[in-house]
Amino acid sequence: MLILLPPSEKKKAATSQKKFELSSLVFAGELTNARSQTTVSHDSSKTSPAIEIYDGVLFQGLNWKTLSPVEQKRANTKVLIVSAIFGLVRPLDKIFSYKEKIDNKLWREAVAQVSAKHSNELIIDCRSSTYKGVWKINPQNTVEVRVFKVNGAERNVITHMSKKYRGELTGHLLKQTTDPTTAAEVQRIAAQLFECELHAPVDGQPWALDLLIS
């Protein structure tokens, strides 16, 4: 299982005096060249773990502090956050705070060799549309999480607050003792929190897990 998350527009200031190091980030071999282009003009004198920098609705829903130390350690291997500056980061990677729009072309090319290595792994895609240009998915083993507001027979897409529910689902998945290995298992776990439906891949699209919010 690998969970893809977007970053948040809202970010906290970094608090540690430890200097930023490109080589300390995940996938340094694949992404350092691109990162050196995007980080060069930023103030990197202070750093914090990425999970402390990103402070938007999704990360509030994930609620990292409710994970045990063992769960946090495991989560650091199961979660990748897409970033305009760093391409991909793990939750505990030490980064600096920034404001930047993502260059999807730059990162699509840089991340391609990383995504290729995970093409046979179950991917749970919680990204927002802005960040979907980064990471080439395999539709057969990718589960895209969608969120709908249900009012009787009517369903409407939830936009901003969908992040909250994706965050809650992410936190719940990370608290499981074993990883799901199929889309059906993801739905089973999600159903512990939400009314949900699972739709099979169609026309090159991935599996779709619909969270139905009353």
Side-chain angles (χ1 to χ4, degrees), residues 120-190:
N120 294 319
E121 191 168 352
L122 179 67
I123 305 295
I124 301 169
D125 190 355
C126 293
R127 294 173 296 169
S128 49
S129 58
T130 303
Y131 300 93
K132 286 190 178 294
V134 176
W135 192 283
K136 184 178 180 181
I137 65 166
N138 176 352
Q140 296 302 315
N141 60 8
T142 299
V143 181
E144 179 183 359
V145 180
R146 308 186 302 191
V147 187
F148 294 89
K149 177 70 175 178
V150 178
N151 185 7
E154 189 175 307
R155 292 185 184 181
N156 296 296
V157 175
I158 297 178
T159 52
H160 178 67
M161 287 307 293
S162 66
K163 298 174 184 179
K164 171 181 180 292
Y165 302 111
R166 291 188 182 111
E168 290 176 358
L169 175 60
T170 298
H172 189 58
L173 286 164
L174 294 173
K175 291 178 180 178
Q176 304 303 305
T177 55
T178 58
D179 291 344
T181 58
T182 66
E185 290 178 7
V186 177
Q187 181 191 22
R188 177 185 58 79
I189 295 169

Side-chain angles (χ1 to χ4, degrees), residues 42-127:
H42 290 76
D43 178 5
S44 58
S45 59
K46 291 186 178 181
T47 61
S48 286
I51 197 66
E52 295 178 13
I53 295 283
Y54 297 122
D55 192 41
V57 173
L58 186 148
F59 294 91
Q60 293 168 19
L62 193 162
N63 204 351
W64 181 263
K65 291 181 180 179
T66 66
L67 301 179
S68 70
V70 171
E71 289 167 345
Q72 290 182 358
K73 184 177 180 180
R74 174 172 166 270
N76 196 49
T77 69
K78 300 297 181 182
V79 171
L80 287 175
I81 305 166
V82 180
S83 165
I85 293 291
F86 309 107
L88 298 167
V89 291
R90 297 286 193 195
L92 297 179
D93 281 354
K94 298 291 183 63
I95 66 172
F96 52 82
S97 188
Y98 63 91
K99 290 184 179 180
E100 193 87 13
K101 291 185 177 180
I102 193 163
D103 181 341
N104 277 288
K105 184 177 185 297
L106 168 68
W107 288 115
R108 181 168 55 249
E109 294 175 357
V111 169
Q113 56 186 314
V114 175
S115 59
K117 294 177 182 178
H118 294 271
S119 61
N120 294 319
E121 191 168 352
L122 179 67
I123 305 295
I124 301 169
D125 190 355
C126 293
R127 294 173 296 169

